[in-house]
Amino acid sequence: MPIVVDIDVMLARRKMAVGTLADRVGITPANLAVLKNGRAKAVRFTTLEALCDVLDCQPGDLLRWEPEESAGTEAHNSSTTF
């Protein structure tokens, strides 16, 4: 998936444990693990807001886009007009 979740990076910068973050954000450690391991299909803005509040960061510090290196990218870059 081209969206990368960098919660681990912010946890390390803040010297905070996953369980502590989950408690302070108000989500289960299991749901936080799904999000931080990139297996989530969506994130609520309220959850993202709480993560940013607790970690004192911006959404862009937690989420970033990386293009996929696949056949799908080649199709996107073709000269076909849609």
Side-chain angles (χ1 to χ4, degrees), residues 6-60:
D6 286 328
I7 291 176
D8 283 336
V9 173
M10 292 307 297
L11 282 170
R13 287 182 184 166
R14 303 298 187 252
K15 296 180 171 85
M16 185 181 296
V18 173
T20 303
L21 179 61
D23 286 343
R24 292 181 63 188
V25 169
I27 61 177
T28 66
N31 283 340
L32 182 57
V34 167
L35 180 59
K36 102 183 166 64
N37 293 325
R39 294 188 317 262
K41 298 294 181 195
V43 61
R44 289 187 176 130
F45 280 173
T46 54
T47 302
L48 184 58
E49 179 183 1
L51 286 166
C52 289
D53 183 40
V54 171
L55 293 170
D56 189 29
C57 66
Q58 294 293 314

